[in-house]
């Protein structure tokens, strides 16, 4: 299994069922900026993060949503409150 194919665990573990929740990621170096064309929900840390329509969020190369500490996503933040991704 390649590094890109590995299943993320811990806070970023994929949803356990077919709930319609999107998977989260912590692959910060793969950040691709997106704008939500509709609202959706992401499984994170045993809870749910809601991304509203027209909100900016970030995905990794596999389309998983980058979610930071306490469910932050625009941008995802680390424990100290700093952005977990580098923006150009």
């Amino acid at each position: 299994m390649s590094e890109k194919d590995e299943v993320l665990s811990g806070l970023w573990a994929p949803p356990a069922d077919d709930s319609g929740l999107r998977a989260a990621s912590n692959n910060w170096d793969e950040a691709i900026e997106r704008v939500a064309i509709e609202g959706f929900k992401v499984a994170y840390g045993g809870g749910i993060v809601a991304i509203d329509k027209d909100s900016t969020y970030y995905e990794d190369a596999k389309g998983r949503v980058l979610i930071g500490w306490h469910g932050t996503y625009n941008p995802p933040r680390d424990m100290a409150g700093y952005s977990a991704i580098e923006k150009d």
Side-chain angles (χ1 to χ4, degrees), residues 4-5 10 13 24 28-32 41 55 60 76 79 81 87:
K4 290 224 185 261
D5 292 331
W28 316 123
D29 60 331
E30 298 179 1
I32 303 165
K41 295 180 180 176
S55 293
D60 69 11
M79 290 174 64
K87 291 175 71 172

Side-chain angles (χ1 to χ4, degrees), residues 10-59:
L11 296 174
W12 299 275
D17 57 19
D18 190 23
S19 61
L21 296 173
R22 292 188 53 186
S25 173
N26 63 348
N27 290 325
W28 316 123
D29 60 331
E30 298 179 1
I32 303 165
E33 186 173 313
R34 304 279 191 220
V35 175
I37 57 172
E38 62 184 16
F40 61 90
K41 295 180 180 176
V42 182
Y44 168 76
I48 297 173
V49 175
I51 309 287
D52 295 325
K53 179 181 177 180
D54 298 324
S55 293
T56 299
Y57 69 99
Y58 297 83
E59 291 182 349

Side-chain angles (χ1 to χ4, degrees), residues 1-8 27 30 62 64:
M1 176 184 318
S2 76
E3 181 177 329
K4 290 224 185 261
D5 292 331
E6 77 180 52
V7 175
L8 299 175
N27 290 325
E30 298 179 1
K62 295 187 74 80
R64 297 175 293 205

